[in-house]
Amino acid sequence: TPGLVYPGLLSSSNAASLTVSSADRTLFPITGNYGGAGGGTVWISFLVQGPVPSDTASSAGLSLLNGTTQGVLLGLNSYQGGTTWGWEGVGQGPVSPPDGVVPGDNVDLLVYRLDFPAVAGDLVNVELYANPALGPTPPAPSASGAVHYFTFNAIRISSSVTNNFDEIRMGGTWGDVVPLAGAAPSLSLTRLAGNQVQISWPTPTDGIYAL
């Protein structure tokens, strides 16, 4: 699927298109366990496009999981009455800001900040920035709240309707997950087949050198 774009956001080609028949349990394991006690701050952003009807039971978003157990859904669950992009914790109803962004045919940028507690079992604070103004620092959040304690070692994009997802990013700062278009990319290392790697870095112009 052609890549999704959001004004001012650095983006690449192609996107993941989930249909009703292929949208469940799209899992991506992560090496190590994250979150939990002392897990610090985790920022997550992604682009999403496509309606999530409020008059039928449906859901769409990105989930953080421990194995296959969901810790939080970052998105929308209209099974429980949600109508705007928000989130849902384990054993909790969806947070759906009443003046929030309604899913539709436009491309939406959703940015989440998760602040994990110092003590096991305490709540995880959540902030949502829905279609934020882009810049070097975050604006005021669109909504804030908390979910029950969890750890995660996998992510999942899922939808019970047809939605497109793109530019999924996780990091420790706002700048990690909201890179601005035109910003010079840093040195990167990509693993290829076998024991080969590709090292890339920006040139003073628009090209990229690769070794």
Side-chain angles (χ1 to χ4, degrees), residues 114-148:
L114 304 176
D115 289 305
F116 288 91
V119 178
D122 284 356
L123 295 176
V124 180
N125 292 322
V126 180
E127 290 182 348
L128 164 64
Y129 303 78
N131 289 341
L134 300 189
T137 58
S142 307
S144 59
V147 296
H148 293 312

Side-chain angles (χ1 to χ4, degrees), residues 27-125:
L27 293 167
F28 300 89
I30 303 171
T31 300
N33 290 298
Y34 298 89
T41 297
V42 176
W43 288 85
I44 301 167
S45 73
F46 58 95
L47 297 177
V48 60
Q49 178 189 41
V52 181
S54 59
D55 58 348
T56 58
S58 52
S59 66
L62 182 148
S63 297
L64 299 181
L65 308 100
N66 190 319
T68 58
T69 301
Q70 180 173 274
V72 66
L73 167 68
L74 306 175
L76 189 157
N77 181 357
S78 69
Y79 287 99
Q80 302 294 326
T83 58
T84 61
W85 293 122
W87 66 86
E88 181 180 25
V90 174
Q92 299 169 302
V95 174
S96 180
D99 56 350
V101 176
V102 178
D105 293 330
N106 293 328
V107 175
D108 294 320
L109 170 62
L110 303 182
V111 184
Y112 292 86
R113 173 176 173 159
L114 304 176
D115 289 305
F116 288 91
V119 178
D122 284 356
L123 295 176
V124 180
N125 292 322

Side-chain angles (χ1 to χ4, degrees), residues 112-185:
Y112 292 86
R113 173 176 173 159
L114 304 176
D115 289 305
F116 288 91
V119 178
D122 284 356
L123 295 176
V124 180
N125 292 322
V126 180
E127 290 182 348
L128 164 64
Y129 303 78
N131 289 341
L134 300 189
T137 58
S142 307
S144 59
V147 296
H148 293 312
Y149 180 86
F150 70 94
T151 62
F152 67 97
N153 55 24
I155 64 173
R156 177 183 72 205
I157 52 173
S158 62
S159 179
S160 58
V161 291
T162 299
N163 291 102
N164 297 324
F165 292 84
D166 201 1
E167 305 300 337
I168 299 170
R169 295 180 169 99
M170 303 181 70
T173 68
W174 166 267
D176 288 340
V177 301
V178 188
L180 303 180

Side-chain angles (χ1 to χ4, degrees), residues 178-192:
V178 188
L180 303 180
S186 59
L187 182 72
S188 64
L189 181 69
T190 304
R191 183 174 181 177
L192 304 178

